[in-house]
Amino acid sequence: MRKLIAAINMTLDGYCDHTAVDPDEEIHRYYAGLLDEAGLLLYGRTTYQLMQYWQTLLSNPSGEPSMDAFARAIDRVPKLVFSRTLKETGWASATLATAPLTETVQSLRQQPGKNLYVGSPGLIVQLTGADLIDEYQICLHPVLAGGGLPLFRDLGGHRNLTLVRTRTFGSGAVLLVYQPGQPLTDSGKNTEP
């Protein structure tokens, strides 16, 4: 079974605003490597339209090797976009979803292949609510946005996560990797040893 991994950038004050953070060369290299491990990227319309920026670097490279490599990497990976308003994707490696999110993800997880990645806050919340996410990779940037979209807004319930690894980047950003944890007991303590 393929894993579903939520991967997203977040500001120190808890907002998911891709325009508020400025990933450096090291972070671009990390995410380009992550994309090499991806079988499919899942996006909602808003995040997908932000990610279309990388298409422009394919025909007009930035000259920054890590950004251009990331653009090539994201172009190679198939993308599935969940939208009620888009009629076409405008990207050869992207298609529009035709079935509901949780039904689609449950089916995709059963298929052979590389892992699935989700990078849209709204989809992450829905898939967390359906207990379908196997791993969260949150890159916490040393930026205070002062406002924006909180990642787990309207989650609708308590979830415990277990920290499985971290990585600190030279920029001060910290990658936090979590897996769904054990539920709390009545005493409020985690049931894991």
Side-chain angles (χ1 to χ4, degrees):
M1 180 181 341
R2 298 198 278 183
K3 285 177 27 176
L4 176 61
I5 299 169
I8 197 158
N9 291 296
M10 191 163 62
T11 64
L12 189 58
D13 51 351
Y15 297 107
C16 305
D17 183 348
H18 291 279
T19 64
V21 299
D22 189 19
D24 64 6
E25 181 178 336
E26 183 183 17
I27 292 173
H28 279 124
R29 281 195 316 268
Y30 172 79
Y31 279 107
L34 200 66
L35 289 172
D36 288 338
E37 300 170 11
L40 182 67
L41 304 174
L42 307 174
Y43 290 120
R45 180 194 54 80
T46 301
T47 304
Y48 174 73
Q49 289 178 319
L50 286 171
M51 299 310 279
Q52 284 184 297
Y53 161 78
W54 296 103
Q55 283 185 287
T56 64
L57 296 187
L58 296 171
S59 57
N60 188 19
S62 70
E64 161 45 54
S66 65
M67 287 181 66
D68 295 339
F70 182 87
R72 290 188 300 274
I74 198 167
D75 183 57
R76 284 191 301 265
V77 181
K79 289 161 274 305
L80 186 59
V81 183
F82 292 84
S83 172
R84 292 184 192 101
T85 58
L86 287 180
K87 301 300 179 210
E88 58 183 56
T89 64
W91 199 339
S93 59
T95 58
L96 292 170
T98 57
L101 176 65
T102 56
E103 178 185 319
T104 300
V105 169
Q106 287 170 335
S107 173
L108 289 168
R109 289 178 76 203
Q110 300 304 315
Q111 298 171 13
K114 294 180 177 182
N115 291 330
L116 312 168
Y117 285 81
V118 57
S120 295
L123 298 186
I124 291 172
V125 168
Q126 290 178 61
L127 293 166
T128 296
D131 294 320
L132 290 174
I133 295 183
D134 299 295
E135 183 175 285
Y136 297 85
Q137 292 196 19
I138 299 171
C139 191
L140 191 59
H141 291 261
V143 173
L144 299 173
L149 177 65
L151 178 54
F152 293 108
R153 181 179 69 180
D154 300 327
L155 185 58
H158 181 89
R159 299 285 193 285
N160 290 324
L161 303 176
T162 301
L163 182 67
V164 293
R165 75 177 183 278
T166 65
R167 176 178 174 172
T168 302
F169 296 98
S171 65
V174 179
L175 180 70
L176 304 167
V177 181
Y178 293 96
Q179 292 177 345
Q182 296 293 323
L184 293 177
T185 64
D186 289 338
S187 65
K189 293 187 178 178
N190 199 316
T191 59
E192 292 182 6

mmCIF file of all heavy atoms in Angstrom, residues 120-154:
data_model
loop_
_atom_site.group_PDB
_atom_site.id
_atom_site.type_symbol
_atom_site.label_atom_id
_atom_site.label_comp_id
_atom_site.label_asym_id
_atom_site.label_seq_id
_atom_site.Cartn_x
_atom_site.Cartn_y
_atom_site.Cartn_z
ATOM 1 N N SER A 120 -1.954 20.840 -0.085
ATOM 2 C CA SER A 120 -2.942 21.913 0.047
ATOM 3 C C SER A 120 -3.563 21.860 1.437
ATOM 4 O O SER A 120 -4.027 20.800 1.869
ATOM 5 C CB SER A 120 -4.050 21.755 -0.988
ATOM 6 O OG SER A 120 -3.548 21.923 -2.289
ATOM 7 N N PRO A 121 -3.605 23.009 2.136
ATOM 8 C CA PRO A 121 -4.156 23.007 3.497
ATOM 9 C C PRO A 121 -5.553 22.406 3.603
ATOM 10 O O PRO A 121 -5.818 21.589 4.490
ATOM 11 C CB PRO A 121 -4.161 24.488 3.887
ATOM 12 C CG PRO A 121 -3.104 25.107 3.043
ATOM 13 C CD PRO A 121 -3.115 24.329 1.754
ATOM 14 N N GLY A 122 -6.457 22.770 2.711
ATOM 15 C CA GLY A 122 -7.818 22.246 2.777
ATOM 16 C C GLY A 122 -7.876 20.738 2.595
ATOM 17 O O GLY A 122 -8.635 20.046 3.291
ATOM 18 N N LEU A 123 -7.089 20.217 1.668
ATOM 19 C CA LEU A 123 -7.063 18.771 1.456
ATOM 20 C C LEU A 123 -6.445 18.061 2.652
ATOM 21 O O LEU A 123 -6.898 16.981 3.049
ATOM 22 C CB LEU A 123 -6.292 18.417 0.181
ATOM 23 C CG LEU A 123 -6.836 18.952 -1.144
ATOM 24 C CD1 LEU A 123 -6.041 18.385 -2.317
ATOM 25 C CD2 LEU A 123 -8.311 18.690 -1.314
ATOM 26 N N ILE A 124 -5.394 18.663 3.225
ATOM 27 C CA ILE A 124 -4.751 18.054 4.400
ATOM 28 C C ILE A 124 -5.753 17.934 5.539
ATOM 29 O O ILE A 124 -5.830 16.898 6.201
ATOM 30 C CB ILE A 124 -3.502 18.858 4.817
ATOM 31 C CG1 ILE A 124 -2.397 18.701 3.758
ATOM 32 C CG2 ILE A 124 -2.997 18.418 6.194
ATOM 33 C CD1 ILE A 124 -1.187 19.594 3.965
ATOM 34 N N VAL A 125 -6.543 18.967 5.766
ATOM 35 C CA VAL A 125 -7.540 18.924 6.840
ATOM 36 C C VAL A 125 -8.577 17.827 6.563
ATOM 37 O O VAL A 125 -8.912 17.036 7.451
ATOM 38 C CB VAL A 125 -8.216 20.297 7.029
ATOM 39 C CG1 VAL A 125 -9.439 20.193 7.932
ATOM 40 C CG2 VAL A 125 -7.228 21.297 7.606
ATOM 41 N N GLN A 126 -9.083 17.771 5.343
ATOM 42 C CA GLN A 126 -10.087 16.751 5.011
ATOM 43 C C GLN A 126 -9.529 15.339 5.171
ATOM 44 O O GLN A 126 -10.198 14.447 5.704
ATOM 45 C CB GLN A 126 -10.577 16.942 3.576
ATOM 46 C CG GLN A 126 -11.434 18.170 3.363
ATOM 47 C CD GLN A 126 -11.830 18.292 1.903
ATOM 48 O OE1 GLN A 126 -12.500 17.406 1.360
ATOM 49 N NE2 GLN A 126 -11.420 19.374 1.263
ATOM 50 N N LEU A 127 -8.297 15.134 4.706
ATOM 51 C CA LEU A 127 -7.698 13.802 4.765
ATOM 52 C C LEU A 127 -7.286 13.431 6.186
ATOM 53 O O LEU A 127 -7.313 12.258 6.555
ATOM 54 C CB LEU A 127 -6.518 13.725 3.792
ATOM 55 C CG LEU A 127 -6.930 13.823 2.324
ATOM 56 C CD1 LEU A 127 -5.726 14.081 1.436
ATOM 57 C CD2 LEU A 127 -7.689 12.572 1.888
ATOM 58 N N THR A 128 -6.940 14.432 6.994
ATOM 59 C CA THR A 128 -6.671 14.173 8.413
ATOM 60 C C THR A 128 -7.963 13.744 9.096
ATOM 61 O O THR A 128 -7.985 12.771 9.861
ATOM 62 C CB THR A 128 -6.099 15.429 9.101
ATOM 63 O OG1 THR A 128 -4.830 15.742 8.517
ATOM 64 C CG2 THR A 128 -5.918 15.219 10.601
ATOM 65 N N GLY A 129 -9.040 14.437 8.802
ATOM 66 C CA GLY A 129 -10.340 14.086 9.374
ATOM 67 C C GLY A 129 -10.787 12.685 9.003
ATOM 68 O O GLY A 129 -11.494 12.020 9.770
ATOM 69 N N ALA A 130 -10.370 12.209 7.842
ATOM 70 C CA ALA A 130 -10.721 10.861 7.386
ATOM 71 C C ALA A 130 -9.680 9.823 7.805
ATOM 72 O O ALA A 130 -9.768 8.659 7.410
ATOM 73 C CB ALA A 130 -10.883 10.852 5.864
ATOM 74 N N ASP A 131 -8.690 10.240 8.594
ATOM 75 C CA ASP A 131 -7.609 9.356 9.075
ATOM 76 C C ASP A 131 -6.880 8.662 7.928
ATOM 77 O O ASP A 131 -6.557 7.475 7.998
ATOM 78 C CB ASP A 131 -8.155 8.314 10.067
ATOM 79 C CG ASP A 131 -8.663 8.943 11.348
ATOM 80 O OD1 ASP A 131 -8.016 9.898 11.844
ATOM 81 O OD2 ASP A 131 -9.710 8.504 11.839
ATOM 82 N N LEU A 132 -6.585 9.419 6.859
ATOM 83 C CA LEU A 132 -5.916 8.831 5.697
ATOM 84 C C LEU A 132 -4.455 9.247 5.551
ATOM 85 O O LEU A 132 -3.749 8.699 4.715
ATOM 86 C CB LEU A 132 -6.687 9.183 4.420
ATOM 87 C CG LEU A 132 -8.035 8.497 4.270
ATOM 88 C CD1 LEU A 132 -8.791 9.022 3.052
ATOM 89 C CD2 LEU A 132 -7.864 6.979 4.184
ATOM 90 N N ILE A 133 -3.989 10.188 6.356
ATOM 91 C CA ILE A 133 -2.606 10.649 6.217
ATOM 92 C C ILE A 133 -1.686 9.773 7.062
ATOM 93 O O ILE A 133 -1.926 9.553 8.245
ATOM 94 C CB ILE A 133 -2.473 12.131 6.575
ATOM 95 C CG1 ILE A 133 -3.269 12.956 5.555
ATOM 96 C CG2 ILE A 133 -1.001 12.562 6.607
ATOM 97 C CD1 ILE A 133 -3.187 14.442 5.710
ATOM 98 N N ASP A 134 -0.626 9.277 6.423
ATOM 99 C CA ASP A 134 0.343 8.406 7.088
ATOM 100 C C ASP A 134 1.508 9.179 7.694
ATOM 101 O O ASP A 134 2.166 8.685 8.603
ATOM 102 C CB ASP A 134 0.897 7.388 6.088
ATOM 103 C CG ASP A 134 -0.198 6.497 5.533
ATOM 104 O OD1 ASP A 134 -0.783 5.735 6.324
ATOM 105 O OD2 ASP A 134 -0.479 6.578 4.321
ATOM 106 N N GLU A 135 1.777 10.361 7.155
ATOM 107 C CA GLU A 135 2.933 11.136 7.626
ATOM 108 C C GLU A 135 2.713 12.605 7.302
ATOM 109 O O GLU A 135 2.169 12.936 6.253
ATOM 110 C CB GLU A 135 4.206 10.627 6.945
ATOM 111 C CG GLU A 135 5.475 11.293 7.381
ATOM 112 C CD GLU A 135 6.703 10.647 6.739
ATOM 113 O OE1 GLU A 135 7.080 9.538 7.187
ATOM 114 O OE2 GLU A 135 7.244 11.229 5.784
ATOM 115 N N TYR A 136 3.148 13.452 8.239
ATOM 116 C CA TYR A 136 3.101 14.901 8.046
ATOM 117 C C TYR A 136 4.540 15.411 7.991
ATOM 118 O O TYR A 136 5.325 15.126 8.897
ATOM 119 C CB TYR A 136 2.391 15.588 9.216
ATOM 120 C CG TYR A 136 0.952 15.199 9.383
ATOM 121 C CD1 TYR A 136 0.596 14.064 10.109
ATOM 122 C CD2 TYR A 136 -0.067 15.961 8.815
ATOM 123 C CE1 TYR A 136 -0.728 13.707 10.264
ATOM 124 C CE2 TYR A 136 -1.398 15.603 8.977
ATOM 125 C CZ TYR A 136 -1.720 14.474 9.698
ATOM 126 O OH TYR A 136 -3.031 14.113 9.855
ATOM 127 N N GLN A 137 4.876 16.140 6.934
ATOM 128 C CA GLN A 137 6.175 16.799 6.843
ATOM 129 C C GLN A 137 5.902 18.298 6.806
ATOM 130 O O GLN A 137 5.491 18.835 5.777
ATOM 131 C CB GLN A 137 6.934 16.352 5.601
ATOM 132 C CG GLN A 137 7.364 14.907 5.661
ATOM 133 C CD GLN A 137 8.423 14.583 4.619
ATOM 134 O OE1 GLN A 137 9.094 15.447 4.083
ATOM 135 N NE2 GLN A 137 8.580 13.300 4.348
ATOM 136 N N ILE A 138 6.133 18.934 7.935
ATOM 137 C CA ILE A 138 5.861 20.365 8.062
ATOM 138 C C ILE A 138 7.193 21.091 8.156
ATOM 139 O O ILE A 138 7.968 20.860 9.086
ATOM 140 C CB ILE A 138 4.985 20.645 9.294
ATOM 141 C CG1 ILE A 138 3.643 19.926 9.134
ATOM 142 C CG2 ILE A 138 4.795 22.150 9.482
ATOM 143 C CD1 ILE A 138 2.768 19.944 10.357
ATOM 144 N N CYS A 139 7.449 21.956 7.191
ATOM 145 C CA CYS A 139 8.674 22.758 7.207
ATOM 146 C C CYS A 139 8.321 24.105 7.832
ATOM 147 O O CYS A 139 7.615 24.914 7.237
ATOM 148 C CB CYS A 139 9.243 22.932 5.806
ATOM 149 S SG CYS A 139 10.907 23.647 5.819
ATOM 150 N N LEU A 140 8.798 24.299 9.053
ATOM 151 C CA LEU A 140 8.501 25.486 9.841
ATOM 152 C C LEU A 140 9.577 26.536 9.572
ATOM 153 O O LEU A 140 10.745 26.327 9.876
ATOM 154 C CB LEU A 140 8.464 25.099 11.323
ATOM 155 C CG LEU A 140 7.938 26.101 12.309
ATOM 156 C CD1 LEU A 140 6.503 26.502 11.981
ATOM 157 C CD2 LEU A 140 8.007 25.507 13.711
ATOM 158 N N HIS A 141 9.167 27.658 8.972
ATOM 159 C CA HIS A 141 10.099 28.713 8.588
ATOM 160 C C HIS A 141 10.174 29.802 9.659
ATOM 161 O O HIS A 141 9.154 30.116 10.288
ATOM 162 C CB HIS A 141 9.663 29.337 7.260
ATOM 163 C CG HIS A 141 9.807 28.413 6.103
ATOM 164 N ND1 HIS A 141 10.871 28.458 5.248
ATOM 165 C CD2 HIS A 141 9.017 27.381 5.674
ATOM 166 C CE1 HIS A 141 10.742 27.516 4.323
ATOM 167 N NE2 HIS A 141 9.629 26.849 4.566
ATOM 168 N N PRO A 142 11.352 30.396 9.853
ATOM 169 C CA PRO A 142 11.494 31.453 10.857
ATOM 170 C C PRO A 142 10.928 32.781 10.360
ATOM 171 O O PRO A 142 11.633 33.767 10.165
ATOM 172 C CB PRO A 142 13.012 31.514 11.077
ATOM 173 C CG PRO A 142 13.592 31.099 9.763
ATOM 174 C CD PRO A 142 12.625 30.080 9.201
ATOM 175 N N VAL A 143 9.633 32.779 10.130
ATOM 176 C CA VAL A 143 8.911 33.944 9.607
ATOM 177 C C VAL A 143 7.635 34.110 10.418
ATOM 178 O O VAL A 143 6.948 33.125 10.698
ATOM 179 C CB VAL A 143 8.533 33.735 8.116
ATOM 180 C CG1 VAL A 143 7.637 34.857 7.603
ATOM 181 C CG2 VAL A 143 9.767 33.587 7.250
ATOM 182 N N LEU A 144 7.331 35.328 10.787
ATOM 183 C CA LEU A 144 6.050 35.639 11.417
ATOM 184 C C LEU A 144 5.198 36.365 10.384
ATOM 185 O O LEU A 144 5.493 37.492 10.010
ATOM 186 C CB LEU A 144 6.254 36.515 12.658
ATOM 187 C CG LEU A 144 7.094 35.889 13.768
ATOM 188 C CD1 LEU A 144 7.365 36.903 14.862
ATOM 189 C CD2 LEU A 144 6.410 34.656 14.321
ATOM 190 N N ALA A 145 4.169 35.708 9.898
ATOM 191 C CA ALA A 145 3.332 36.270 8.839
ATOM 192 C C ALA A 145 2.323 37.263 9.387
ATOM 193 O O ALA A 145 1.871 38.148 8.676
ATOM 194 C CB ALA A 145 2.629 35.163 8.077
ATOM 195 N N GLY A 146 1.925 37.090 10.634
ATOM 196 C CA GLY A 146 0.956 38.001 11.224
ATOM 197 C C GLY A 146 -0.479 37.750 10.828
ATOM 198 O O GLY A 146 -1.383 38.458 11.250
ATOM 199 N N GLY A 147 -0.711 36.734 10.019
ATOM 200 C CA GLY A 147 -2.064 36.399 9.600
ATOM 201 C C GLY A 147 -2.025 35.515 8.376
ATOM 202 O O GLY A 147 -0.990 35.367 7.733
ATOM 203 N N GLY A 148 -3.146 34.918 8.091
ATOM 204 C CA GLY A 148 -3.232 34.035 6.941
ATOM 205 C C GLY A 148 -4.094 32.837 7.247
ATOM 206 O O GLY A 148 -4.960 32.880 8.124
ATOM 207 N N LEU A 149 -3.847 31.762 6.550
ATOM 208 C CA LEU A 149 -4.629 30.543 6.697
ATOM 209 C C LEU A 149 -3.927 29.590 7.657
ATOM 210 O O LEU A 149 -2.831 29.115 7.374
ATOM 211 C CB LEU A 149 -4.792 29.862 5.333
ATOM 212 C CG LEU A 149 -5.523 28.529 5.312
ATOM 213 C CD1 LEU A 149 -6.987 28.702 5.721
ATOM 214 C CD2 LEU A 149 -5.422 27.897 3.936
ATOM 215 N N PRO A 150 -4.541 29.297 8.829
ATOM 216 C CA PRO A 150 -3.945 28.307 9.722
ATOM 217 C C PRO A 150 -4.071 26.913 9.094
ATOM 218 O O PRO A 150 -5.073 26.616 8.437
ATOM 219 C CB PRO A 150 -4.766 28.395 10.998
ATOM 220 C CG PRO A 150 -5.796 29.437 10.788
ATOM 221 C CD PRO A 150 -5.754 29.881 9.369
ATOM 222 N N LEU A 151 -3.067 26.086 9.297
ATOM 223 C CA LEU A 151 -3.068 24.767 8.650
ATOM 224 C C LEU A 151 -4.246 23.898 9.080
ATOM 225 O O LEU A 151 -4.942 23.349 8.250
ATOM 226 C CB LEU A 151 -1.758 24.026 8.918
ATOM 227 C CG LEU A 151 -1.661 22.616 8.338
ATOM 228 C CD1 LEU A 151 -1.943 22.600 6.843
ATOM 229 C CD2 LEU A 151 -0.300 22.022 8.618
ATOM 230 N N PHE A 152 -4.470 23.764 10.361
ATOM 231 C CA PHE A 152 -5.481 22.813 10.811
ATOM 232 C C PHE A 152 -6.762 23.487 11.270
ATOM 233 O O PHE A 152 -7.417 23.030 12.200
ATOM 234 C CB PHE A 152 -4.892 21.918 11.910
ATOM 235 C CG PHE A 152 -3.810 21.011 11.376
ATOM 236 C CD1 PHE A 152 -2.490 21.244 11.693
ATOM 237 C CD2 PHE A 152 -4.123 19.959 10.535
ATOM 238 C CE1 PHE A 152 -1.489 20.417 11.195
ATOM 239 C CE2 PHE A 152 -3.138 19.132 10.024
ATOM 240 C CZ PHE A 152 -1.814 19.369 10.364
ATOM 241 N N ARG A 153 -7.141 24.541 10.586
ATOM 242 C CA ARG A 153 -8.402 25.215 10.883
ATOM 243 C C ARG A 153 -9.564 24.267 10.596
ATOM 244 O O ARG A 153 -9.557 23.547 9.600
ATOM 245 C CB ARG A 153 -8.517 26.472 10.008
ATOM 246 C CG ARG A 153 -9.787 27.265 10.268
ATOM 247 C CD ARG A 153 -9.847 28.477 9.410
ATOM 248 N NE ARG A 153 -10.044 28.074 8.013
ATOM 249 C CZ ARG A 153 -10.140 28.926 7.016
ATOM 250 N NH1 ARG A 153 -10.039 30.210 7.236
ATOM 251 N NH2 ARG A 153 -10.322 28.504 5.788
ATOM 252 N N ASP A 154 -10.532 24.266 11.475
ATOM 253 C CA ASP A 154 -11.740 23.458 11.302
ATOM 254 C C ASP A 154 -11.458 21.957 11.240
ATOM 255 O O ASP A 154 -12.134 21.218 10.522
ATOM 256 C CB ASP A 154 -12.511 23.886 10.044
ATOM 257 C CG ASP A 154 -12.942 25.342 10.104
ATOM 258 O OD1 ASP A 154 -13.224 25.830 11.215
ATOM 259 O OD2 ASP A 154 -12.995 25.985 9.042
#
